[in-house]
Amino acid sequence: FPDQVSFNSVISACHKGGQWQHALCLLSSMRHLDVLPDVISWSACISACEAGGTWQLALELLREMPSAAVLPDRVSYSASINACAKAGQWQQAISLLDEMPRNRIDVCTISYSSAITACEKGDRKS
């Protein structure tokens, strides 16, 4: 039977292959098969959504994590910020960046860079 590591590997492969729908299905399957998704599972799924251009789903997953007893980490937030950046959703990106220290998560260069990119893209749309 597949375990957490197996699921995480396949979800990561979905991210790399641009298959965000399959990543979401796998995350859901984990729960139905009593395999607990961890922060790696969730972050890989958020990254798959980011790669697929579905920033709203990426944010939805980030918001869902605590209710699944999984706390988002720097990777979860950075992938979510990057998803917003790709869509030019600078307000969302800045809001997530602001949340990180309040949730005791160190803001990294990748997070700052993604937020700056979001502001640049958002400015071009105006």
Side-chain angles (χ1 to χ4, degrees), residues 11-42:
I11 292 171
S12 290
C14 289
H15 161 230
K16 291 176 182 143
Q19 299 293 317
W20 62 269
Q21 301 97 329
H22 293 297
L24 290 173
C25 287
L26 288 164
L27 187 68
S28 179
S29 294
M30 288 177 80
R31 297 184 215 165
H32 294 344
L33 295 172
D34 291 327
V35 178
L36 293 176
D38 62 2
V39 71
I40 296 168
S41 316
W42 286 91

Side-chain angles (χ1 to χ4, degrees), residues 1 9 13 21 28 32 49-51 59 75 80 85 98 120 125:
F1 227 85
S9 296
Q21 301 97 329
S28 179
H32 294 344
C49 289
E50 172 253 313
L59 291 185
V75 174
S80 298
D98 187 50
E120 288 172 346
K125 289 183 177 182

Side-chain angles (χ1 to χ4, degrees), residues 47-101:
S47 293
C49 289
E50 172 253 313
T54 55
W55 67 273
Q56 299 98 329
L57 282 174
L59 291 185
E60 199 174 303
L61 289 169
L62 183 74
R63 300 291 179 230
E64 246 182 81
M65 289 175 73
S67 66
V70 179
L71 295 177
D73 64 4
R74 184 185 305 172
V75 174
S76 312
Y77 270 95
S78 292
S80 298
I81 292 170
N82 204 34
C84 293
K86 285 185 174 182
Q89 298 295 320
W90 66 271
Q91 300 98 331
Q92 293 289 342
I94 296 299
S95 177
L96 292 171
L97 194 67
D98 187 50
E99 268 179 43
M100 291 176 74

